[in-house]
Amino acid sequence: MSARPTEGNPLRAFASQVWGSIFRHGLPTTDKVAARTALTNFFLHIHPVRVKKSAIRVSYTLCLGGLSFFLFILLTISGLFLMFYYIPSVDQAYQNIKDLQFVATFGLVIRNLHRWAAHGMVITVWLHMARVFYQGAYKPPREFNWAIGTFLLLITLLLSFSGYLLPWDQLAVWAITVGTNMAKYAPIAGPYTRYLLLGGRNVGQGALIRFYVLHVVALPLIGFILMVIHFWRVRKDGFTGGL
Amino acid sequence: MATVVGGGGSGNAGGADDQSSVPIRQPVIARPPRPRRTGPELASTPLVVRRREEEETVVTFPSLVWKEFLAGLGAFIFLLVVSIQVNAPLLQRANTAITPNPAKAPWYFLGLQELLERFPPVMAGVAFPSFVIIFMILTPYLDRNPSRRPQDRKVAIALFTIYLCLAVSFVVIGVFFRGLAFNWDWTRILGHPGVKPPV
Ligand code: HEM
């Protein structure tokens, strides 16, 4: 790529130097260039350079793991925007959501996007689990990745559940009341667990700030770390490919 | 796992006959020859990576990356359209004095709520979920059958399908067939017999 005739035009030479310093290789003209491009690009090196042809048929993975990850990224970005407006206080939270809906530019669409992507992610993660099971992709050597996947499923549910409380409307508070009442039934730890989760006996300010911190910091962080390990293992254990 | 065997890209004139005269480049299992692409860049032998299984592989960039990009774009457009059309619910401001009837958990926990309706709380709220999670983690260690072909895994597939059907039907029941006080209520979906549904 460096052999491009740029002499005589200092501007093009400069542009070419800048471009070349960022992207080490040009568009893939041969397999070898394509392989180098994938190896030297941070965002692409998550992939192996080559994969079995049968493994990337859309009909094989149905894109479900990838879509789950995509939704996670989308949720992170849209959630970041929501955070600019949202204050986790029982006095302000509801009004903040109203403002998002009616005042903030694109606030409504961003909120909707965040909500529907969250529901979508619960569905894609479930379906991804089902496809992994039906293809027996949990069998050795991938036993451990299946276990990590189980925790990812739980994290996904908890992320969605903790976010449910934040709008502080009737739907939110009572869904969380019903949900956390389930925790109460565990023999000894139950009531304590519920108290710990809610920071009190009822769903109030204590619960709101706890759910908020779980939702925007703790759970996404744990989820992200688990995903990184998950992807690493997909590569190291090899991808299953056709049956 | 993958071994690089070919050279190529260096622009040598060897080209196509290279493949047949140098033994190291012979595939272990004979495969139909790939259709040769022609063009100045591809005149030399392409880099060949062989896996032990001798399955045909492709470079991930750009073919896989392209597919992922399209899938992501499709998902994004779909969600954007939904988000423009359908608003996320927002009810009245929370009021701990007024309990909505029915009070329902988010849909993905309605299966659990359904169990709580039917079994003692310790069973439904604690024993069943813990069992499912632990059993799930242990699945790969309990399933000693090495085959991944559906024909050889009838029991596993049947069990998992039953589990999925149960989980899905409990959620569907919770969402559509549970009315006031979480009682069973056909009319939510089917309307009242003899009464035209309000449109
Ligand atoms: C946040 C949730 C999750 C994300 C983002 C995720 C992502 C991925 C991705 C991108 C792949 C590559 C193949 C594909 O796209 O299907 C994969 C493979 C895999 N996932 Fe997940 N996953 C998640 C949850 C789970 C769950 C819940 C399970 C099972 C309990 C699981 C088990 C596996 C296994 C065993 C593989 C290897 C499959 C193979 O080699 O064919 N993952 N995951």
Side-chain angles (χ1 to χ4, degrees):
Chain A
M1 294 305 114
S2 47
R4 233 191 257 143
T6 48
E7 307 88 37
N9 185 340
L11 205 64
R12 282 198 66 178
F14 179 68
S16 148
Q17 185 193 347
V18 171
W19 180 264
S21 70
I22 302 171
F23 302 101
R24 293 292 184 211
H25 301 279
L27 291 172
T29 40
T30 65
D31 280 4
K32 196 173 182 183
V33 176
R36 286 214 198 108
T37 310
L39 273 176
T40 55
N41 184 302
F42 176 77
F43 292 102
L44 294 180
H45 93 277
I46 191 164
H47 298 107
V49 169
R50 282 180 161 270
V51 283
K52 284 185 248 174
K53 210 169 181 177
S54 60
I56 63 166
R57 278 202 324 266
V58 172
S59 60
Y60 181 67
T61 67
L62 307 170
C63 288
L64 288 166
L67 277 183
S68 308
F69 182 59
F70 177 78
L71 290 179
F72 181 77
I73 304 281
L74 196 65
L75 283 160
T76 309
I77 296 171
S78 56
L80 215 60
F81 284 124
L82 296 180
M83 282 179 78
F84 288 132
Y85 285 90
Y86 180 83
I87 299 166
S89 135
V90 293
D91 299 322
Q92 297 180 59
Y94 184 72
Q95 190 54 48
N96 293 155
I97 302 290
K98 280 266 180 226
D99 287 349
L100 267 169
Q101 300 239 52
F102 297 108
V103 183
T105 312
F106 292 126
L108 181 62
V109 175
I110 301 268
R111 171 167 188 251
N112 292 345
L113 204 59
H114 195 74
R115 174 68 67 116
W116 302 134
H119 286 316
M121 186 173 164
V122 172
I123 296 172
T124 56
V125 172
W126 266 96
L127 291 178
H128 169 62
M129 178 190 88
R131 96 95 181 129
V132 169
F133 187 92
Y134 282 120
Q135 282 163 350
Y138 57 85
K139 302 199 171 196
R142 283 173 272 280
E143 308 100 307
F144 183 61
N145 220 11
W146 171 266
I148 293 176
T150 308
F151 287 107
L152 276 172
L153 177 65
L154 293 178
I155 292 283
T156 307
L157 291 175
L158 289 176
L159 263 171
S160 208
F161 183 65
S162 57
Y164 220 82
L165 181 64
L166 304 183
W168 205 253
D169 64 343
Q170 279 292 72
L171 188 67
V173 169
W174 288 99
I176 300 306
T177 305
V178 173
T180 51
N181 273 344
M182 293 177 192
K184 215 163 51 178
Y185 300 119
I188 297 153
Y192 295 103
T193 312
R194 183 169 188 272
Y195 192 88
L196 188 71
L197 209 56
L198 295 185
R201 286 188 204 294
N202 295 312
V203 178
Q205 178 64 59
L208 183 57
I209 191 70
R210 276 171 203 228
F211 273 58
Y212 177 74
V213 173
L214 286 176
H215 186 75
V216 304
V217 183
L219 293 171
L221 197 64
I222 298 171
F224 185 73
I225 293 170
L226 286 177
M227 278 178 217
V228 170
I229 304 174
H230 194 64
F231 300 159
W232 174 262
R233 295 292 298 224
V234 170
R235 281 205 54 178
K236 295 296 149 178
D237 297 339
F239 197 66
T240 47
L243 296 170
Chain B
M1 191 181 283
T3 34
V4 180
V5 238
S10 47
N12 59 338
D17 350 61
D18 242 74
Q19 191 98 39
S20 46
S21 56
V22 183
I24 199 166
R25 290 195 183 123
Q26 284 288 340
V28 180
I29 300 163
R31 286 181 294 118
R34 276 196 223 161
R36 284 250 159 239
R37 283 168 293 178
T38 45
E41 324 87 357
L42 291 176
S44 57
T45 324
L47 181 84
V48 180
V49 178
R50 298 215 190 291
R51 297 187 150 248
R52 281 203 204 98
E53 305 91 322
E54 283 299 326
E55 239 201 274
E56 193 173 348
T57 61
V58 288
V59 271
T60 47
F61 182 77
S63 51
L64 176 60
V65 176
W66 178 240
K67 279 188 187 181
E68 288 167 336
F69 174 75
L70 285 185
L73 193 69
F76 181 64
I77 291 175
F78 172 74
L79 277 171
L80 203 60
V81 169
V82 171
S83 299
I84 290 170
Q85 300 292 327
V86 192
N87 283 343
L90 186 67
L91 306 184
Q92 298 293 304
R93 190 177 187 283
N95 183 345
T96 35
I98 305 170
T99 315
N101 192 351
K104 287 188 183 180
W107 62 267
Y108 38 83
F109 284 147
L110 281 181
L112 267 180
Q113 205 175 342
E114 183 68 25
L115 287 178
L116 278 167
E117 279 298 299
R118 294 164 182 270
F119 296 94
V122 183
M123 295 289 285
V126 185
F128 288 168
S130 315
F131 174 78
V132 168
I133 295 169
I134 292 170
F135 194 75
M136 218 177 119
I137 294 175
L138 291 181
T139 300
Y141 305 97
L142 297 174
D143 180 357
R144 314 299 302 174
N145 174 2
S147 170
R148 289 181 44 236
R149 294 163 65 221
Q151 306 85 295
D152 305 333
R153 306 175 57 224
K154 294 206 172 92
V155 179
I157 287 181
L159 286 176
F160 189 76
T161 307
I162 293 173
Y163 165 68
L164 273 192
C165 289
L166 277 177
V168 171
S169 36
F170 278 4
V171 169
V172 169
I173 289 172
V175 174
F176 297 109
F177 295 106
R178 288 291 180 180
L180 291 183
F182 216 67
N183 285 323
W184 193 281
D185 185 358
W186 289 112
T187 60
R188 286 169 71 85
I189 291 300
L190 304 179
H192 293 270
V195 180
K196 280 206 179 135
V199 177

